[in-house]
């Protein structure tokens, strides 16, 4: 992707115009750009057409992490869904400032979306599957500023809510 884009913005009625200049921001984690993620899928994705809404869902069996073209680590997974749904996301799941990985596993009929979460271990320089309580959090949203993980859940037509988790002494606990 280019580092800069420029152009002209115009209002819907065409009466107002402004020159704009967009500049790419640095990555959230400096070493994120060093890691390239490749997914092991049940079929090849060559173009955007291969990810069309009417295309067959992907089945992902592994995430391969490469650095400078060399395989560094393979994470086993079992994700199923559209191209955008199964893409791993860089997050800071334990709020230590290091890049962790989060991947949606399957899209159910309700809001309870299961995820896999791998935490970066600075000592071994590898991603490790997070604790079971982290894996059980439905639809996690990571809030680094508040150091909280929010979980939206639903249990039938009349029972739904939000649980809030926090790390305390390196253990994840439900706090609200």
């Amino acid at each position: 992707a280019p580092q800069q884009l420029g152009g002209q913005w115009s209002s819907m009625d065409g009466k107002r115009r402004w020159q704009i200049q967009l500049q790419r921001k640095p990555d959230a984690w400096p070493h994120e750009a060093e890691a390239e993620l490749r997914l092991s899928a049940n079929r090849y994705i060559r173009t955007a057409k291969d990810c069309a809404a009417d295309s067959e869902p992907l089945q992902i069996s592994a995430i391969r992490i490469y650095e400078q073209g060399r395989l560094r680590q393979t994470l086993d997974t079992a994700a199923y869904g559209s191209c955008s749904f199964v893409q791993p996301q860089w997050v800071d799941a334990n709020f230590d400032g290091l890049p962790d990985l989060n991947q949606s596993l399957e899209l159910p009929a309700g809001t309870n979306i299961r995820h896999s979460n791998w935490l970066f271990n600075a000592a071994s320089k590898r991603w490790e599957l997070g604790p079971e309580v982290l894996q059980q959090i439905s639809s996690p949203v990571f809030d680094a500023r508040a150091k909280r993980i929010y979980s939206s859940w639903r249990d039938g037509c009349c029972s739904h809510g939000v649980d809030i988790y926090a790390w305390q002494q390196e253990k994840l606990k439900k706090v609200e």
Side-chain angles (χ1 to χ4, degrees):
Q3 295 298 313
Q4 292 184 347
L5 292 173
Q8 187 177 72
W9 176 90
S10 60
S11 62
M12 296 269 301
D13 60 9
K15 293 180 181 177
R16 292 178 292 198
R17 298 180 190 280
W18 288 296
Q19 291 296 321
I20 60 168
Q21 188 73 27
L22 304 174
Q23 217 168 11
R24 187 175 183 179
K25 289 175 60 175
D27 292 326
W29 294 286
H31 45 291
E32 176 182 344
E34 297 171 12
E36 175 190 344
L37 303 179
R38 298 181 193 174
L39 303 180
S40 245
N42 61 325
R43 61 187 170 88
Y44 287 105
I45 303 297
R46 292 188 177 94
T47 68
K49 289 180 185 176
D50 296 330
C51 287
D54 62 343
S55 66
E56 174 190 339
L58 287 176
Q59 294 177 2
I60 306 300
S61 59
I63 300 169
R64 291 195 173 92
I65 303 171
Y66 286 80
E67 281 189 1
Q68 299 177 346
R70 296 172 110 131
L71 179 62
R72 176 175 173 185
Q73 186 176 355
T74 299
L75 305 172
D76 292 329
T77 188
Y80 178 82
S82 67
C83 291
S84 61
F85 183 77
V86 298
Q87 291 294 321
Q89 303 295 316
W90 294 109
V91 298
D92 190 358
N94 55 357
F95 312 118
D96 63 357
L98 298 172
D100 304 316
L101 280 170
N102 169 277
Q103 183 186 38
S104 302
L105 296 179
E106 61 184 322
L107 187 59
T111 60
N112 302 333
I113 300 173
R114 293 183 328 112
H115 289 75
S116 283
N117 297 278
W118 295 270
L119 305 177
F120 185 73
N121 181 324
S124 66
K125 298 197 181 312
R126 298 178 62 79
W127 283 268
E128 300 171 354
L129 197 58
E132 186 63 27
V133 65
L134 179 59
Q135 307 308 321
Q136 297 301 318
I137 294 176
S138 168
S139 307
V141 175
F142 302 93
D143 183 348
R145 194 160 81 197
K147 296 190 187 260
R148 296 288 188 261
I149 301 171
Y150 303 99
S151 169
S152 298
W153 56 268
R154 181 176 173 176
D155 188 19
C157 70
C158 304
S159 178
H160 47 85
V162 175
D163 292 333
I164 302 173
Y165 295 82
W167 292 94
Q168 298 174 349
Q169 288 90 36
E170 297 186 25
K171 294 193 187 250
L172 190 59
K173 301 194 178 186
K174 186 166 132 180
V175 294
E176 293 182 53

